[in-house]
Amino acid sequence: MHTAWSDAYFQSIESRRDDAYNKNLKWIIITDHAGDSQHTSQPRLEWNEWSSYNDDCNTVQDIDPHITVCPGEELATIEGTGGSHLLSYKNSSYASSYGNKQTLINNVYAAGGFGIIAHPYNSSFPWTDWYTYPQPATSPSFRGIELISNGYVVNDSQLADWDYYLKPYREHYERP
């Protein structure tokens, strides 16, 4: 979910939390667009705002009745027309946008988080070579792929691709 920290101009973290509670959700993850605004005219969560952003997510969890509100980021590469996007979860610090895909993945891991490829089938923000990144034995990789985004649900063929491309990653981490 985006909030007024980036491009959901009238949605505070608290209003997103309230909407989620009213829909009987137990938790949400806020993933505002991150990166410095000199790269785009779109509002972005800046590195010097991370602490306040994180505090806002934590503060709204104390509202009764309680639901979990996790802070994250949506990062963008410099590659391609619109760039590719990576959702960063469980950050302990800010992860920076504007590198190549592996740079984004490395930034997320350095921030203590893990990455999920965002809307890989969106033609405006494609991640068409995501099958090259599950390389768990050699470098950090993403941990998942977003399957539902803004009302778009992947089809059976796309699910089969997802399963095929994540197979090496799954085999590396599966317990015997």
Side-chain angles (χ1 to χ4, degrees):
M1 296 182 172
H2 297 315
T3 71
W5 281 96
S6 65
D7 62 348
Y9 303 102
F10 303 108
Q11 294 285 332
S12 66
I13 291 175
E14 184 174 347
S15 69
R16 288 295 197 182
R17 175 248 174 256
D18 293 345
D19 290 345
Y21 174 76
N22 291 332
K23 292 177 181 167
N24 295 318
L25 298 175
K26 303 294 183 206
W27 57 272
I28 59 173
I29 302 172
I30 305 296
T31 55
D32 278 295
H33 290 281
D36 68 76
S37 296
Q38 68 182 334
H39 285 89
T40 180
S41 60
Q42 182 183 35
R44 300 270 175 180
L45 173 65
E46 307 276 352
W47 70 269
N48 59 346
E49 297 172 320
W50 175 258
S51 181
S52 296
Y53 175 76
N54 195 32
D55 289 347
D56 278 2
C57 288
N58 290 327
T59 298
V60 301
Q61 292 184 98
D62 293 332
I63 297 171
D64 192 36
H66 302 283
I67 73 167
T68 301
V69 179
C70 303
E73 300 171 73
E74 183 171 356
L75 308 177
T77 66
I78 56 174
E79 301 165 325
T81 307
S84 299
H85 292 177
L86 183 73
L87 301 174
S88 176
Y89 299 125
K90 202 175 179 260
N91 304 37
S92 56
S93 64
Y94 183 82
S96 181
S97 285
Y98 306 115
N100 63 33
K101 292 169 186 162
Q102 190 62 55
T103 298
L104 258 60
I105 291 167
N106 293 346
N107 290 348
V108 168
Y109 277 79
F114 62 92
I116 304 289
I117 292 177
H119 38 72
Y121 295 104
N122 181 325
S123 60
S124 297
F125 313 103
W127 192 305
T128 55
D129 60 344
W130 41 282
Y131 57 90
T132 64
Y133 288 89
Q135 303 167 12
T138 58
S139 62
S141 184
F142 62 87
R143 298 268 297 274
I145 300 170
E146 185 179 54
L147 299 178
I148 301 171
S149 177
N150 201 25
Y152 177 82
V153 180
V154 299
N155 63 39
D156 289 342
S157 173
Q158 293 163 334
L159 281 173
D161 285 347
W162 180 79
D163 191 50
Y164 173 78
Y165 295 133
L166 288 179
K167 186 176 180 181
Y169 183 83
R170 234 182 15 256
E171 289 173 351
H172 180 78
Y173 286 102
E174 285 179 346
R175 294 182 179 164

